[in-house]
Amino acid sequence: MALTFTEQPSGILGANSPLIYQAYDSTFSTTAGFRYEFEIFVWSGTNTIPATAQWKFIKLPDVFAGNRAYIDIHRLVTEYINKNYLAFGSATATISTGAYWVAVKIRGYNTAGGTTPVSGPTTSNIVICTRGYSYSIQGINAEVTKPVLTDRDKVMLTTESSIDYLWYNKDLVSSINVGSATYTPTAGATSLLKIQGIELKQALTAGGVWGVNSQITFNLVAGGNFKMPVEFDCPSRYGSYSMLFLNRYGVYEGMTFNAVYSPSWAITRENYQTALLVGSNLDLAWSYGMRQTNIFNLQSKKTMVINTDWIPESYVDYLSQMVMSEAVLFAEGGNYYAVNVLDSQMEQKRATNIKLIQYAFNLEYSQPYINKIVR
């Protein structure tokens, strides 16, 4: 038997990009009635493959691909991964249901073998998947091997920032130093604990460096460390507004908007005309005017325009991840509201073209401000 598998790499994978597996049986793929059976497993907890697969697919050999067969399972995997996994309130956090184990088994069947496989089962490696994604230019099978899951080269805050996070691969980081405070990852080999994070306001406050330019040091299991500078800017007269968004690694990071913030309401309504003299006390009606035009089905959505302060060019790609994010949260009054970015285009500003880089974004609360239609 010569059933071979082209599988995904073993790092952290973003399930919002293709997860392609290819099978090839060099011995039986040209025999009568040959077919590949793919079993897909997606599960939480320990990294032991469950006894029963969630899905089974039959694929025939593709004669135009040398009798190979392939399957892309990323849409199946994202059905399981929760994008609302974040629990607020603690200085430390875990990915919880925001990451799942994934594996694939393959068998080969033909007419002569009947219901008994003539090749396999062959099992793929076990990978951990989040609701992240990879850029197409990186290739189809792009894994994440970095210890800290961010593209920021520094964290920019003000003393009015309300929330921000940094996340890390628990298997690659032994401890984190934040001022005088030290954090160690929660032990365990489950998917719930594979990726862990620290909430920066609480961690910096506990370490005695809130409001002070400092750095966060991630000490690595393999030796050495990864250092993330933290810079505080002065709050503007407009106030500072914090947002969280699901970045391309599938974890929530923050951004403080320290410039003009302009909320507004978009209102829609319908109306109808009633007869002037229908069933009312005319003495009373005349005292405040007859209401002939009546409004109904009134609905409203709250929107906002929010601006960054001057930012470094290194933050441009980071902000583009917010525009492309499938989950954005806006901090307001101690609560965190789901919002959508309305902008469909973002210029990649460069310091060589413009000395001072600043952005404005249009946002909309994902829930109506007034909702008369419940679905």
Side-chain angles (χ1 to χ4, degrees), residues 234-293:
C234 296
S236 74
R237 63 188 179 92
Y238 307 104
S240 298
Y241 300 89
S242 297
M243 290 178 58
L244 295 173
F245 62 91
L246 209 59
N247 71 6
R248 73 186 187 97
Y249 304 108
V251 294
Y252 280 96
E253 282 199 280
M255 179 68 192
T256 296
F257 289 82
N258 193 31
V260 177
Y261 161 67
S262 301
S264 59
W265 289 271
I267 301 165
T268 60
R269 60 172 67 88
E270 298 178 64
N271 59 67
Y272 65 95
Q273 305 289 324
T274 60
L276 282 173
L277 304 178
V278 173
S280 70
N281 183 333
L282 294 185
D283 289 337
L284 181 61
W286 283 117
S287 67
Y288 54 78
M290 301 289 287
R291 185 178 299 279
Q292 184 175 11
T293 301

Coordinates of all heavy atoms in Angstrom, one line a residue, residues 234-293:
C234 N -0.1 61.4 25.4 CA -1.0 62.3 26.2 C -2.4 62.1 25.6 O -2.6 62.2 24.4 CB -0.5 63.7 26.1 SG 1.1 64.0 26.9
P235 N -3.4 62.0 26.5 CA -4.8 62.0 26.0 C -5.1 63.3 25.3 O -4.7 64.3 25.7 CB -5.6 61.7 27.2 CG -4.7 61.2 28.2 CD -3.3 61.8 27.9
S236 N -5.8 63.2 24.2 CA -6.2 64.4 23.5 C -7.5 65.1 24.2 O -8.1 64.4 25.0 CB -6.5 64.1 22.0 OG -7.8 63.5 21.9
R237 N -7.8 66.3 23.8 CA -9.0 66.9 24.3 C -10.3 66.3 23.9 O -11.3 66.5 24.4 CB -9.0 68.4 23.9 CG -9.1 68.7 22.4 CD -8.9 70.1 22.1 NE -8.9 70.5 20.7 CZ -10.1 70.8 20.1 NH1 -11.2 70.9 20.8 NH2 -10.0 71.1 18.8
Y238 N -10.2 65.4 22.9 CA -11.4 64.7 22.4 C -11.6 63.4 23.2 O -12.7 62.8 23.1 CB -11.2 64.3 20.9 CG -10.9 65.4 20.0 CD1 -9.6 65.6 19.5 CD2 -11.8 66.4 19.6 CE1 -9.2 66.7 18.7 CE2 -11.5 67.4 18.8 CZ -10.2 67.6 18.4 OH -9.9 68.6 17.5
G239 N -10.7 63.0 24.0 CA -10.8 61.8 24.8 C -10.1 60.6 24.0 O -9.8 60.7 22.8
S240 N -9.9 59.5 24.7 CA -9.3 58.3 24.1 C -10.4 57.2 24.1 O -11.0 57.0 25.1 CB -8.1 57.9 24.9 OG -7.1 58.8 24.8
Y241 N -10.5 56.5 23.0 CA -11.5 55.4 22.8 C -10.8 54.1 22.4 O -10.0 54.1 21.5 CB -12.5 55.8 21.8 CG -13.3 57.1 22.2 CD1 -12.8 58.4 21.8 CD2 -14.4 57.0 23.0 CE1 -13.4 59.5 22.2 CE2 -15.1 58.2 23.4 CZ -14.6 59.4 23.0 OH -15.2 60.6 23.4
S242 N -11.1 53.1 23.1 CA -10.4 51.8 22.9 C -11.3 50.9 22.1 O -12.5 50.8 22.3 CB -10.1 51.1 24.2 OG -9.1 51.9 25.0
M243 N -10.7 50.1 21.2 CA -11.3 49.1 20.4 C -10.6 47.8 20.5 O -9.3 47.8 20.7 CB -11.5 49.6 19.0 CG -12.5 50.7 18.8 SD -12.6 51.2 17.1 CE -13.0 49.7 16.3
L244 N -11.2 46.7 20.4 CA -10.6 45.4 20.2 C -11.1 44.8 18.9 O -12.2 45.0 18.4 CB -11.0 44.4 21.3 CG -10.6 44.8 22.8 CD1 -11.2 43.8 23.7 CD2 -9.1 44.8 22.9
F245 N -10.2 44.0 18.2 CA -10.6 43.4 17.0 C -9.9 42.0 16.9 O -8.7 41.9 17.4 CB -10.3 44.3 15.8 CG -8.9 44.6 15.6 CD1 -8.0 43.8 14.8 CD2 -8.3 45.7 16.2 CE1 -6.7 44.1 14.6 CE2 -7.0 46.1 16.0 CZ -6.2 45.3 15.2
L246 N -10.5 41.1 16.2 CA -9.9 39.8 16.0 C -8.9 40.0 14.9 O -9.2 40.3 13.7 CB -11.0 38.8 15.5 CG -10.8 37.4 15.9 CD1 -10.7 37.1 17.4 CD2 -12.0 36.6 15.3
N247 N -7.6 39.8 15.2 CA -6.5 40.0 14.2 C -6.3 38.8 13.3 O -7.1 37.8 13.4 CB -5.2 40.4 14.9 CG -4.6 39.3 15.7 OD1 -5.0 38.1 15.7 ND2 -3.5 39.6 16.4
R248 N -5.3 38.8 12.5 CA -5.1 37.7 11.5 C -4.6 36.4 12.2 O -4.6 35.4 11.5 CB -4.2 38.2 10.4 CG -2.7 38.3 10.7 CD -2.0 38.9 9.5 NE -0.6 38.9 9.7 CZ 0.2 37.9 9.2 NH1 -0.3 36.9 8.5 NH2 1.5 38.0 9.3
Y249 N -4.3 36.5 13.4 CA -4.0 35.2 14.2 C -5.1 34.7 14.9 O -5.0 33.7 15.6 CB -2.8 35.5 15.1 CG -1.6 36.1 14.4 CD1 -1.2 37.4 14.5 CD2 -0.8 35.3 13.5 CE1 -0.2 38.0 13.8 CE2 0.2 35.8 12.8 CZ 0.6 37.2 13.0 OH 1.7 37.7 12.3
G250 N -6.3 35.3 14.9 CA -7.5 34.8 15.5 C -7.6 35.2 17.0 O -8.3 34.6 17.7
V251 N -6.8 36.2 17.4 CA -6.9 36.7 18.8 C -7.2 38.2 18.8 O -7.0 38.9 17.9 CB -5.6 36.4 19.6 CG1 -5.3 34.9 19.7 CG2 -4.4 37.1 18.8
Y252 N -7.8 38.6 20.0 CA -8.2 40.0 20.1 C -7.1 40.9 20.5 O -6.5 40.7 21.6 CB -9.4 40.1 21.1 CG -10.7 39.7 20.6 CD1 -11.2 38.4 20.8 CD2 -11.5 40.6 19.9 CE1 -12.4 38.0 20.3 CE2 -12.7 40.2 19.3 CZ -13.2 38.9 19.5 OH -14.4 38.6 19.0
E253 N -6.8 41.9 19.7 CA -5.9 43.0 20.0 C -6.6 44.3 20.1 O -7.7 44.4 19.6 CB -4.8 43.0 19.0 CG -3.7 42.0 19.1 CD -2.5 42.3 18.4 OE1 -2.4 42.2 17.1 OE2 -1.5 42.8 19.0
G254 N -5.9 45.3 20.6 CA -6.6 46.6 20.8 C -5.9 47.7 20.0 O -4.9 47.6 19.5
M255 N -6.7 48.8 20.0 CA -6.2 50.1 19.4 C -6.9 51.2 20.1 O -8.1 51.2 20.3 CB -6.6 50.1 17.9 CG -6.1 51.4 17.2 SD -4.3 51.5 17.1 CE -4.2 53.3 16.6
T256 N -6.1 52.2 20.5 CA -6.6 53.4 21.2 C -6.7 54.5 20.1 O -5.7 54.9 19.5 CB -5.7 53.8 22.3 OG1 -5.7 52.8 23.3 CG2 -6.2 55.1 22.9
F257 N -7.9 55.0 20.0 CA -8.1 56.2 19.0 C -8.1 57.4 19.9 O -9.0 57.6 20.8 CB -9.4 56.0 18.3 CG -9.4 54.9 17.3 CD1 -9.6 53.5 17.6 CD2 -9.1 55.2 15.9 CE1 -9.5 52.5 16.7 CE2 -9.1 54.2 15.0 CZ -9.2 52.8 15.4
N258 N -7.2 58.3 19.6 CA -6.9 59.4 20.5 C -7.1 60.8 19.7 O -6.3 61.7 19.9 CB -5.5 59.3 21.0 CG -5.2 60.3 22.1 OD1 -6.0 60.6 22.9 ND2 -3.9 60.7 22.2
A259 N -8.2 60.8 18.9 CA -8.5 62.0 18.2 C -10.0 62.2 18.1 O -10.7 61.6 18.9 CB -7.8 62.0 16.8
V260 N -10.5 62.9 17.1 CA -11.9 63.2 17.0 C -12.8 62.0 16.9 O -12.5 61.0 16.2 CB -12.2 64.1 15.8 CG1 -13.6 64.4 15.6 CG2 -11.4 65.4 15.8
Y261 N -13.8 62.0 17.8 CA -14.8 60.9 17.8 C -16.2 61.6 17.6 O -16.6 62.5 18.4 CB -14.8 60.2 19.1 CG -16.0 59.4 19.5 CD1 -16.3 58.3 18.8 CD2 -16.8 59.8 20.6 CE1 -17.5 57.5 19.1 CE2 -17.9 59.0 21.0 CZ -18.2 57.9 20.2 OH -19.3 57.2 20.5
S262 N -16.9 61.2 16.5 CA -18.2 61.8 16.1 C -19.2 60.8 16.0 O -19.3 60.2 14.9 CB -18.0 62.6 14.8 OG -17.0 63.6 15.0
P263 N -20.1 60.6 17.0 CA -21.2 59.6 16.8 C -22.4 60.3 16.2 O -22.6 61.5 16.3 CB -21.5 59.2 18.3 CG -21.1 60.4 19.1 CD -20.0 61.1 18.4
S264 N -23.3 59.5 15.6 CA -24.5 60.0 15.0 C -25.5 58.9 14.9 O -25.2 57.7 15.1 CB -24.2 60.6 13.6 OG -23.7 59.7 12.7
W265 N -26.7 59.3 14.6 CA -27.8 58.3 14.4 C -28.3 58.3 13.0 O -28.6 59.4 12.4 CB -28.9 58.5 15.4 CG -28.6 58.2 16.8 CD1 -28.7 57.1 17.5 CD2 -28.1 59.2 17.8 NE1 -28.3 57.2 18.8 CE2 -27.9 58.5 19.0 CE3 -27.7 60.5 17.7 CZ2 -27.4 59.1 20.1 CZ3 -27.2 61.1 18.8 CH2 -27.1 60.4 20.0
A266 N -28.5 57.2 12.4 CA -29.2 57.0 11.1 C -30.6 56.5 11.4 O -30.8 55.5 12.1 CB -28.5 56.1 10.2
I267 N -31.6 57.2 10.9 CA -33.0 56.9 11.3 C -33.8 56.6 10.1 O -33.8 57.4 9.1 CB -33.6 58.1 12.1 CG1 -32.8 58.4 13.3 CG2 -35.1 57.8 12.4 CD1 -33.1 59.8 14.0
T268 N -34.6 55.6 10.1 CA -35.6 55.3 9.0 C -36.9 55.2 9.7 O -37.1 54.7 10.8 CB -35.2 54.0 8.3 OG1 -35.2 52.9 9.3 CG2 -33.8 54.0 7.7
R269 N -38.0 55.6 8.9 CA -39.3 55.5 9.4 C -40.3 55.4 8.3 O -40.0 55.7 7.1 CB -39.6 56.7 10.3 CG -39.5 58.1 9.5 CD -40.0 59.2 10.3 NE -39.2 59.5 11.5 CZ -38.1 60.3 11.4 NH1 -37.7 60.9 10.3 NH2 -37.4 60.5 12.5
E270 N -41.5 55.0 8.6 CA -42.6 55.0 7.6 C -43.8 55.8 8.3 O -43.8 56.0 9.5 CB -43.0 53.6 7.2 CG -41.9 52.8 6.6 CD -42.3 51.4 6.3 OE1 -43.2 51.2 5.4 OE2 -41.7 50.4 6.8
N271 N -44.7 56.2 7.4 CA -45.9 56.9 8.0 C -47.2 56.6 7.2 O -47.1 56.0 6.1 CB -45.6 58.4 8.1 CG -45.3 59.0 6.7 OD1 -46.2 59.0 5.8 ND2 -44.1 59.4 6.5
Y272 N -48.3 56.9 7.8 CA -49.5 56.8 7.1 C -50.5 57.9 7.5 O -50.3 58.5 8.6 CB -50.2 55.4 7.4 CG -50.6 55.2 8.8 CD1 -51.9 55.5 9.3 CD2 -49.7 54.7 9.8 CE1 -52.2 55.3 10.6 CE2 -50.0 54.5 11.1 CZ -51.3 54.8 11.5 OH -51.7 54.6 12.8
Q273 N -51.4 58.2 6.7 CA -52.4 59.3 7.0 C -53.7 58.7 7.5 O -54.3 57.8 7.0 CB -52.7 60.1 5.7 CG -51.4 60.6 4.9 CD -50.8 61.7 5.7 OE1 -51.5 62.5 6.2 NE2 -49.5 61.8 5.6
T274 N -54.2 59.3 8.6 CA -55.5 58.9 9.2 C -56.5 60.0 8.9 O -56.2 61.2 8.6 CB -55.4 58.7 10.7 OG1 -54.9 60.0 11.3 CG2 -54.4 57.6 11.0
A275 N -57.8 59.6 9.0 CA -58.8 60.6 8.8 C -58.8 61.6 10.0 O -58.5 61.2 11.1 CB -60.2 59.9 8.7
L276 N -59.2 62.8 9.7 CA -59.1 63.8 10.8 C -60.0 63.6 11.9 O -59.7 63.9 13.1 CB -59.3 65.2 10.2 CG -58.2 65.8 9.4 CD1 -58.6 67.1 8.7 CD2 -57.0 66.1 10.3
L277 N -61.2 63.1 11.7 CA -62.2 63.1 12.7 C -62.5 61.7 13.2 O -63.7 61.4 13.6 CB -63.5 63.7 12.1 CG -63.3 65.1 11.6 CD1 -64.6 65.6 11.0 CD2 -62.8 66.1 12.7
V278 N -61.5 60.8 13.2 CA -61.8 59.4 13.6 C -61.5 59.3 15.1 O -60.4 59.5 15.6 CB -60.8 58.5 12.8 CG1 -60.9 57.1 13.4 CG2 -61.2 58.5 11.4
G279 N -62.6 58.9 15.8 CA -62.6 58.5 17.2 C -61.7 59.2 18.2 O -60.9 58.6 18.8
S280 N -61.8 60.5 18.3 CA -61.0 61.2 19.3 C -61.8 62.3 20.0 O -62.8 62.7 19.4 CB -59.7 61.8 18.7 OG -60.0 62.8 17.9
N281 N -61.4 62.7 21.1 CA -62.0 63.8 21.8 C -61.6 65.1 21.1 O -60.4 65.5 21.2 CB -61.6 63.8 23.2 CG -62.3 64.9 24.0 OD1 -62.7 66.0 23.5 ND2 -62.4 64.7 25.3
L282 N -62.5 65.7 20.3 CA -62.0 66.9 19.5 C -61.6 68.0 20.3 O -60.7 68.8 20.0 CB -63.1 67.2 18.5 CG -63.4 66.2 17.4 CD1 -64.5 66.8 16.4 CD2 -62.2 65.8 16.6
D283 N -62.3 68.2 21.5 CA -61.9 69.3 22.4 C -60.4 69.2 22.8 O -59.6 70.1 22.8 CB -62.8 69.3 23.6 CG -64.2 69.8 23.3 OD1 -64.3 70.5 22.2 OD2 -65.1 69.5 24.0
L284 N -60.1 67.9 23.1 CA -58.7 67.7 23.5 C -57.7 67.7 22.3 O -56.7 68.3 22.4 CB -58.6 66.3 24.2 CG -57.2 65.9 24.8 CD1 -56.7 66.9 25.8 CD2 -57.3 64.5 25.3
A285 N -58.2 67.1 21.2 CA -57.3 67.1 20.0 C -57.0 68.5 19.5 O -55.8 68.8 19.1 CB -58.0 66.3 18.9
W286 N -57.9 69.4 19.5 CA -57.7 70.7 19.0 C -56.6 71.5 19.9 O -56.0 72.4 19.4 CB -58.9 71.5 18.9 CG -59.8 71.2 17.8 CD1 -61.1 70.6 17.8 CD2 -59.5 71.3 16.4 NE1 -61.6 70.4 16.5 CE2 -60.6 70.8 15.6 CE3 -58.3 71.7 15.7 CZ2 -60.6 70.8 14.2 CZ3 -58.4 71.7 14.3 CH2 -59.5 71.2 13.6
S287 N -56.5 71.1 21.2 CA -55.6 71.8 22.0 C -54.1 71.6 21.7 O -53.3 72.4 22.0 CB -55.9 71.4 23.5 OG -55.5 70.1 23.7
Y288 N -53.8 70.5 21.1 CA -52.4 70.2 20.6 C -52.3 69.9 19.2 O -51.2 69.5 18.7 CB -51.7 69.1 21.5 CG -52.5 67.8 21.5 CD1 -52.4 66.9 20.5 CD2 -53.2 67.5 22.7 CE1 -53.1 65.7 20.5 CE2 -53.9 66.3 22.7 CZ -53.8 65.4 21.7 OH -54.5 64.2 21.7
G289 N -53.3 70.1 18.5 CA -53.3 69.8 17.0 C -53.6 68.4 16.6 O -53.3 67.5 17.3
M290 N -54.3 68.3 15.5 CA -54.8 67.0 15.1 C -53.6 66.2 14.4 O -52.9 66.8 13.6 CB -55.9 67.1 14.0 CG -57.1 67.9 14.5 SD -58.0 66.9 15.7 CE -58.8 65.7 14.5
R291 N -53.3 65.0 14.9 CA -52.2 64.2 14.4 C -52.7 63.4 13.2 O -53.3 62.3 13.4 CB -51.6 63.3 15.4 CG -50.4 62.6 15.0 CD -49.7 61.7 16.1 NE -49.3 62.5 17.2 CZ -48.2 63.2 17.2 NH1 -47.4 63.2 16.2 NH2 -47.8 63.9 18.3
Q292 N -52.6 63.9 12.0 CA -53.1 63.2 10.8 C -52.0 62.2 10.3 O -52.3 61.1 9.9 CB -53.5 64.2 9.7 CG -54.1 63.4 8.5 CD -54.6 64.4 7.5 OE1 -54.3 65.6 7.6 NE2 -55.3 63.9 6.5
T293 N -50.7 62.7 10.3 CA -49.6 61.8 9.9 C -49.0 61.1 11.0 O -48.5 61.7 12.0 CB -48.5 62.6 9.2 OG1 -49.1 63.4 8.1 CG2 -47.4 61.7 8.7

